[in-house]
């Protein structure tokens, strides 16, 4: 479910007690979306690094090290 400005406004009011204008709510949702995309990319990068390290570990074990 995509985030909407109304969700951002509701979040700001419930969590921080702040009433946002429509423009502020749109900005908040845009920032939250960008932030979540960055976190998702970082998680993918870490998973890829884990796979690479597992491959190196297997290679080193095969070499008897």
């Amino acid at each position: 479910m995509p985030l909407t400005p109304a969700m951002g406004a509701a979040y700001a009011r419930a969590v921080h007690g702040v009433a946002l204008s429509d423009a502020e709510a749109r900005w908040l949702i845009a920032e939250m979306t960008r932030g979540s995309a960055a976190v998702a990319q970082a998680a993918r990068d870490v998973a890829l690094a884990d796979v690479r390290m597992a491959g190196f570990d297997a290679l080193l074990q095969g070499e008897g090290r």
Side-chain angles (χ1 to χ4, degrees):
M1 171 164 67
L3 298 174
T4 65
M7 295 167 116
Y11 170 82
R13 182 173 294 281
V15 175
H16 299 287
V18 176
L20 299 180
S21 69
D22 288 341
E24 291 168 329
R26 285 191 302 276
W27 174 86
L28 176 62
I29 289 303
E31 289 301 309
M32 290 174 77
T33 301
R34 275 192 286 279
S36 65
V39 168
Q41 182 60 51
R44 285 190 295 274
D45 292 345
V46 167
L48 180 57
D50 287 346
V51 168
R52 287 181 179 160
M53 289 307 296
F56 291 140
D57 290 346
L59 179 65
L60 291 174
Q61 288 174 359
E63 294 290 324
R65 296 181 191 182

